[in-house]
Amino acid sequence: MTNNNQSIINIIANNNPESQKIHKLLTNKLEKKGFIIPKKYNNNAELNICIGGDGAFLRAVHRYNFTSIPFIGVNTGHLGFFQEVLPENIDIFIEKYIHKDFVVEKIFLVKAKIYTKNESFELYGINEIVVKGTKSKVVHLEIFIDGNHLEKFCGDGVIISTPVGSTAYNFSSGGSIIYPSLKTLQLTPLSPISSRAYRSLLNSAVIPGDLIITIKPEYRYENSILIVVDGVEYKYDDITKINFIIPEKTISRLNLDRNMYWNNLKSKFL
């Protein structure tokens, strides 16, 4: 079957030799089916194919500003939770795509609004946003859920993860795995310390998606806070509070197999 509409597909690959090899192979196969593969990223494309590992997928989504164009990944990395297609299954993927044998899933994000003494900033994460101390310092944080004080935290920091990010840093830090379609955030402590002065939760808490998580650093730590979004560090001075929500903005991903999530969990972790 040939695509007669000359549909555009972006192929985004990292510089790994295997990824570049797959890029060339996939380009040739798609062009033979009638698709246009632009040399540079095209905002009018109907699909983004990301070749690499999970890191390549995350970088691509951030680089193209959380575009509404759906993504699918070809895995040439290690874990490959976002990268559904194996290189040996490219022909199967192309046939499924042409025959529309897939579903489009929405991926919930996490948004942080950072308030300083003079201005505010917004950051979006796919997997997680982490609040921790600079130079591995212990941080002291007041944490609120929808305006209700939850804890006076002391430790290395906290992770605010999305459902798709629950299998990433969150899981490595003892957090729970959350199915991607559930609209929740997860608050996971990093090396929490409990004492008479600080009462920190020792385990993660799953927060409904319509509630606001607020973190306020103690005044003496307002310039010692590091914010890490999907592995990228941000530093702001004079932070007074940070609000975390699930934004209206989402990204889309093609799913070729509804059982892939559970198969991934078993193959990657068990």
Side-chain angles (χ1 to χ4, degrees):
M1 177 179 176
T2 302
N3 178 19
N4 295 318
N5 295 323
Q6 290 288 287
S7 299
I8 300 170
I9 294 179
N10 292 316
I11 299 180
I12 307 158
N14 61 20
N15 293 322
N16 180 284
E18 179 66 15
S19 298
Q20 291 299 314
K21 176 183 173 183
I22 298 300
H23 187 309
K24 184 177 180 180
L25 176 66
L26 187 55
T27 298
N28 290 336
K29 287 179 178 290
L30 287 170
E31 287 180 339
K32 286 179 180 178
K33 294 292 185 179
F35 292 97
I36 296 174
I37 312 301
K39 298 296 183 184
K40 294 183 179 180
Y41 188 86
N42 190 314
N43 289 313
N44 296 315
E46 65 180 32
L47 180 67
N48 291 322
I49 301 176
C50 182
I51 304 173
D54 284 343
F57 179 90
L58 295 172
R59 288 190 295 274
V61 174
H62 280 277
R63 184 184 309 128
Y64 299 110
N65 198 30
F66 302 89
T67 175
S68 60
I69 301 170
F71 283 85
I72 191 167
V74 178
N75 185 28
T76 58
H78 298 290
L79 194 59
F81 242 96
F82 286 110
Q83 311 295 75
E84 182 173 342
V85 180
L86 296 175
E88 58 266 30
N89 293 334
I90 284 176
D91 289 329
I92 296 173
F93 153 64
I94 293 174
E95 289 305 309
K96 283 194 170 191
Y97 184 71
I98 289 174
H99 291 93
K100 301 189 183 301
D101 185 12
F102 58 83
V103 295
V104 178
E105 296 179 333
K106 294 293 184 184
I107 293 179
F108 296 118
L109 306 174
V110 55
K111 172 184 173 183
K113 188 158 189 179
I114 301 108
Y115 295 87
T116 69
K117 290 180 179 178
N118 300 311
E119 51 190 327
S120 63
F121 306 88
E122 291 182 351
L123 297 172
Y124 291 84
I126 307 160
N127 272 347
E128 75 279 311
I129 298 179
V130 184
V131 179
K132 61 195 306 185
T134 57
K135 300 179 181 179
S136 300
K137 293 179 180 178
V138 169
V139 290
H140 297 79
L141 309 169
E142 299 282 3
I143 299 179
F144 302 79
I145 307 297
D146 225 29
N148 300 291
H149 187 263
L150 175 67
E151 62 178 330
K152 193 173 184 179
F153 177 86
C154 176
D156 286 352
V158 292
I159 303 170
I160 311 296
S161 68
T162 64
V164 294
S166 67
T167 53
Y169 190 13
N170 170 77
F171 182 69
S172 300
S173 303
S176 299
I177 292 174
I178 305 295
Y179 193 73
S181 64
L182 298 177
K183 195 172 183 180
T184 64
L185 292 175
Q186 187 170 179
L187 174 69
T188 301
L190 293 171
S191 301
I193 299 171
S194 278
S195 66
R196 289 186 176 181
Y198 295 95
R199 305 299 297 169
S200 305
L201 287 175
L202 301 180
N203 302 101
S204 66
V206 178
I207 312 300
D210 58 344
L211 303 185
I212 300 173
I213 300 172
T214 300
I215 294 179
K216 296 181 179 180
E218 285 193 357
Y219 71 92
R220 52 183 171 157
Y221 294 95
E222 59 192 8
N223 292 318
S224 302
I225 298 297
L226 191 65
I227 299 173
V228 187
V229 182
D230 293 331
V232 178
E233 296 181 353
Y234 296 84
K235 179 73 172 61
Y236 302 97
D237 290 331
D238 300 322
I239 293 176
T240 57
K241 71 174 180 178
I242 310 168
N243 284 340
F244 296 88
I245 63 167
I246 296 179
E248 292 297 320
K249 179 187 295 188
T250 61
I251 59 172
S252 299
R253 178 176 60 174
L254 260 59
N255 185 341
L256 305 176
D257 180 1
R258 290 182 179 274
N259 295 318
M260 178 59 69
Y261 182 79
W262 303 111
N263 293 335
N264 254 343
L265 277 183
K266 182 175 180 180
S267 64
K268 308 301 182 185
F269 295 132
L270 298 178

